[in-house]
Amino acid sequence: MTEQIAQTVSAAAAATAVATVPEAVPTTVSARGLCRYFGARAVVRDINLELRRGEILGLLGPNGAGKTTIMRMLTDNLAPSAGTVEICGIDMLDQPRKAKAHIGYLPEIPPLYRELTVSEYLTLAARLHGVEKRKINAAMDEVMQRCRLDNTSDRLIGLLSKGYQQRVGIAQAIIHDPDVIIFDEPTVGLDPNQIRDTRALIRELGARRSVILSTHILSEVEAVCTGVQILHEGRLVFAESISGLKQKGASLEEIFVRYTMNAECPVSP
């Protein structure tokens, strides 16, 4: 009897252990061997990148390091010279429309139509992103609240301040609730309060999505991101988690200077 009880308890414990094993976090972005040449000039060289749901990756690098080129390739706005991109397991080259449906993108210069009102523009963005007609109004209400665009729906975009135009750009990138959001300098032109709000929004979005954030503000990466990659002259020269940096007591500024002052620096393990 004692042996039977022991076996039962052991089996129950094993079943509980199996039941409590966390599910694997899905990979949302996978880029392998990305290269881009303009003529004979290599702008991006053999970049590998992988991102999972719940991660926020900060892309750092001097001007001309290749950050924007990489983001354009990840969003199918520029074809890679070599390499592959998968978004939520969908090959970008084989099924670009299906893959892009999972992406929200805010380029450095927001793609705004200044002659439209905020509501007209966001309606257009929702349609282009494939939001069902019956869900457009609800989607607009949600992003306008998230991006603090209350009371601007009937205003012309061209008459808004730089900060509010940037908010509209963020709203169009998330209106279809994408799995992957890519921001190129999202806090440019914002005042300190708007920067704080935008960083809070990025953290919120990154809790159940994947976010790639390109910025020149090192403190922004430390405050918002879960990981960082540094590029220099088209190459990946450093990669680490933010928690890893903190555990080592490393200064991101010192690391950035060290790895971007010497193009021959190896990738960090």
Side-chain angles (χ1 to χ4, degrees), residues 38-190:
F38 290 104
R41 179 170 169 257
V43 178
V44 171
R45 315 179 192 197
D46 197 27
I47 295 296
N48 296 314
L49 184 153
E50 187 170 289
L51 202 61
R52 298 181 184 276
R53 191 179 304 280
E55 294 180 338
I56 305 175
L57 174 65
L59 276 184
L60 293 174
N63 289 330
K67 303 185 299 297
T68 296
T69 301
I70 289 172
M71 288 186 289
R72 291 179 65 197
M73 289 191 287
L74 293 177
T75 55
D76 196 39
N77 286 286
L78 181 68
S81 302
T84 62
V85 175
E86 288 187 0
I87 304 296
C88 297
I90 304 166
D91 191 290
M92 182 67 80
L93 295 179
D94 291 340
Q95 302 180 77
R97 292 185 64 179
K98 189 175 180 181
K100 286 192 289 186
H102 294 273
I103 299 174
Y105 180 39
L106 175 67
E108 185 175 1
I109 300 175
L112 304 177
Y113 291 95
R114 298 171 59 86
E115 68 276 11
L116 297 182
T117 65
V118 173
S119 62
E120 289 171 340
Y121 174 71
L122 291 180
T123 299
L124 174 62
R127 289 175 177 171
L128 291 174
H129 282 303
V131 178
E132 295 180 33
K133 187 174 182 180
R134 63 186 178 85
K135 296 181 179 179
I136 288 178
N137 287 338
M140 284 179 54
D141 290 342
E142 181 177 352
V143 296
M144 289 185 74
Q145 182 179 4
R146 272 184 164 181
C147 298
R148 296 180 180 265
L149 288 167
D150 305 324
N151 304 317
T152 65
S153 61
D154 295 326
R155 296 184 60 184
L156 289 174
I157 292 175
L159 299 180
L160 296 176
S161 67
K162 167 69 174 175
Y164 272 95
Q165 288 185 11
Q166 192 75 352
R167 294 189 197 188
V168 175
I170 294 173
Q172 66 78 30
I174 66 175
I175 195 167
H176 55 305
D177 195 24
D179 295 297
V180 178
I181 305 169
I182 300 177
F183 290 131
D184 193 354
E185 303 282 353
T187 57
V188 168
L190 303 187

Side-chain angles (χ1 to χ4, degrees), residues 239-265:
E240 180 62 277
S241 67
I242 297 299
S243 61
L245 289 177
K246 291 179 179 178
Q247 288 175 358
K248 297 172 183 176
S251 164
L252 186 56
E253 181 178 0
E254 291 178 359
I255 289 171
F256 182 84
V257 171
R258 183 197 318 161
Y259 280 89
T260 58
M261 292 296 287
N262 180 1
E264 300 305 319
C265 287

Side-chain angles (χ1 to χ4, degrees), residues 10-25:
S10 178
T16 301
V18 171
T20 56
V21 172
E23 294 183 6
V25 179

